[in-house]
Amino acid sequence: MANNILVILPHPDDEAFGLSGTLAKSIREGARVTYACLTLGEMGRNMGVPPFANRVTLPRFRKLELEESCRTIGIQDLRLMGYHDKTIEFEDKDKLDARILELLEEVRPGTVYTFYPGYAVHPDHDATGAAVIRTIARLAQERRPIVRCIAFSKNREEAIGLPDVKVDVRPFLKQKLGSIQAHRSQFQIPKLSPTELEDRFGTESFYTYKFS
Amino acid sequence: MQLIHPVQVQIRLNALRDQDVFIHLEMTSGAYAAHNDSSKHPSATFITNARIRYAHGSIEGAGPYRVGLKTENGWVYSEGLTHWDENDTERLILAGHDAQGKLVVALQLSRQPF
Ligand SMILES: [Zn+2]
């Protein structure tokens, strides 16, 4: 279904800075979004300021934060995939790819959002993006959804150029800031003027993945 | 100690899976971290001769390397590994050394206690 969007990211909060405005915009335009979040960010070092979580309770807080973020954005369908933070790259690739394929077959998305493998800094980000790309590359060309990737490594522009998709999300800053604020164990939004907020958070950029 | 050869390490990891092995896992910022730089928080932790069994383990990255071992109920994870002892054929001795050559992290596996 062209109107279905599938988001595959490893950590609760991965959606907040890079994608939440775009998702809120697509949902306003009628999209149905399924967000598969691979882990609960169990190994995060931020425990709130002052710390209110610990290693045992952090995943519970982060699950609630993720659910609040999804409600704020308007995401209709959240899937918690049950992997453990920091371990995606060590998982059996065939099994991981099979679960991604199941999601693709069920959701039948027109567009998939994930991280650009190799240019997304955290090993979980790279491993998640790599699994999504591997799985979609095996589909027949006419069955492949559009894949939009988030990249933010320092070397990205020399390697893959500039992003080809830029989304003006200024009309959806309320949802985006709400998503960021929902992750209160992880982030504290700096006090900025409305113009500064628009400059800092008003645009989201993606690379459309080119399958060869 | 030699620079890690990931293909060789992977072969050793495969040889030690699906059996009880002893693990030494350690990370340290050094006892003098705060003495030398007051912004540093001195910390260290190790567990030695704990018994584990993993069904699946791999070394990843382009160096420094990461190792993850999937156990029945959880994971063993270590990041920042740079060196190994290629001459120790019985045990797998992995370590991460900083730019000054000091040990920062160690992951060791053996069928016999250390
Ligand atoms: Zn992340």
Side-chain angles (χ1 to χ4, degrees):
Chain A
M1 298 280 291
N3 244 354
N4 287 355
I5 291 174
L6 178 59
V7 179
I8 306 180
L9 301 169
H11 307 129
D13 80 18
D14 283 339
E15 79 288 354
F17 287 96
L19 182 60
S20 58
T22 301
L23 292 176
K25 181 169 188 278
S26 300
I27 290 163
R28 173 76 57 84
E29 291 162 0
R32 185 181 157 76
V33 175
T34 296
Y35 175 10
C37 190
L38 269 54
T39 82
L40 286 175
E42 293 89 343
M43 299 307 290
R45 292 181 64 211
N46 296 343
M47 298 285 173
V49 181
F52 56 80
N54 59 46
R55 264 283 166 270
V56 175
T57 60
L58 184 65
R60 285 208 292 278
F61 282 111
R62 297 201 69 177
K63 177 168 177 277
L64 294 172
E65 291 170 355
L66 177 60
E67 288 166 353
E68 184 184 325
S69 165
C70 288
R71 275 196 302 278
T72 306
I73 298 167
I75 291 171
Q76 297 94 336
D77 181 19
L78 172 64
R79 309 287 179 95
L80 304 175
M81 302 295 283
Y83 292 96
H84 194 284
D85 196 7
K86 291 182 93 89
T87 67
I88 304 303
E89 63 183 333
F90 307 111
E91 284 288 352
D92 183 304
K93 288 185 175 57
D94 292 339
K95 288 184 187 158
L96 177 59
D97 295 1
R99 293 200 59 198
I100 290 170
L101 183 62
E102 266 173 40
L103 280 170
L104 286 164
E105 287 179 339
E106 184 199 331
V107 174
R108 302 238 161 246
T111 308
V112 171
Y113 287 94
T114 191
F115 282 112
Y116 204 124
Y119 304 99
V121 184
H122 191 297
D124 281 341
H125 296 172
D126 285 336
T128 301
V132 172
I133 298 297
R134 269 198 312 270
T135 306
I136 293 177
R138 282 196 292 263
L139 299 177
Q141 206 172 332
E142 64 278 8
R143 291 186 54 215
R144 284 181 201 150
I146 295 163
V147 182
R148 289 190 172 157
C149 298
I150 302 168
F152 63 103
S153 67
K154 291 207 174 72
N155 66 340
R156 67 185 184 280
E157 285 185 10
E158 301 94 87
I160 52 174
L162 293 168
D164 59 315
V165 178
K166 282 198 187 292
V167 183
D168 177 4
V169 300
R170 285 174 298 177
F172 298 91
L173 272 191
K174 188 171 150 270
Q175 288 90 331
K176 179 162 182 167
L177 295 173
S179 164
I180 296 168
Q181 265 157 350
H183 295 287
R184 52 183 64 76
S185 69
Q186 303 302 301
F187 309 124
Q188 287 73 42
I189 291 192
K191 297 233 179 315
L192 298 171
S193 71
T195 327
E196 288 170 321
L197 284 172
E198 286 197 350
D199 286 350
R200 183 126 161 220
F201 299 118
T203 309
E204 293 175 352
S205 306
F206 307 96
Y207 292 82
T208 306
Y209 193 87
K210 294 182 191 72
F211 292 92
S212 47
Chain B
M1 297 291 276
Q2 296 77 37
L3 288 173
I4 280 177
H5 189 302
V7 175
Q8 295 297 325
V9 170
Q10 185 62 56
I11 291 168
R12 301 277 191 91
L13 285 171
N14 293 348
L16 290 168
R17 72 186 169 199
D18 291 324
Q19 56 199 278
D20 288 350
V21 290
F22 293 91
I23 184 168
H24 175 89
L25 182 62
E26 172 180 357
M27 184 163 177
T28 178
S29 66
Y32 294 98
H35 176 72
N36 294 329
D37 175 354
S38 61
S39 71
K40 291 277 188 327
H41 179 93
S43 56
T45 189
F46 69 81
I47 181 167
T48 201
N49 288 332
R51 229 183 313 197
I52 65 156
R53 177 187 278 255
Y54 60 93
H56 177 76
S58 71
I59 182 162
E60 303 291 340
Y65 296 92
R66 302 176 293 276
V67 166
L69 310 175
K70 190 169 193 172
T71 62
E72 193 187 355
N73 293 305
W75 286 89
V76 172
Y77 174 84
S78 188
E79 178 177 0
L81 298 163
T82 55
H83 288 73
W84 76 312
D85 184 353
E86 68 178 16
N87 300 316
D88 195 327
T89 53
E90 288 299 304
R91 304 175 295 190
L92 179 58
I93 311 290
L94 300 170
H97 293 270
D98 67 13
Q100 284 77 47
K102 292 187 197 300
L103 184 93
V104 180
V105 58
L107 170 61
Q108 307 177 169
L109 299 169
S110 170
R111 294 187 182 98
Q112 303 301 325
F114 288 100

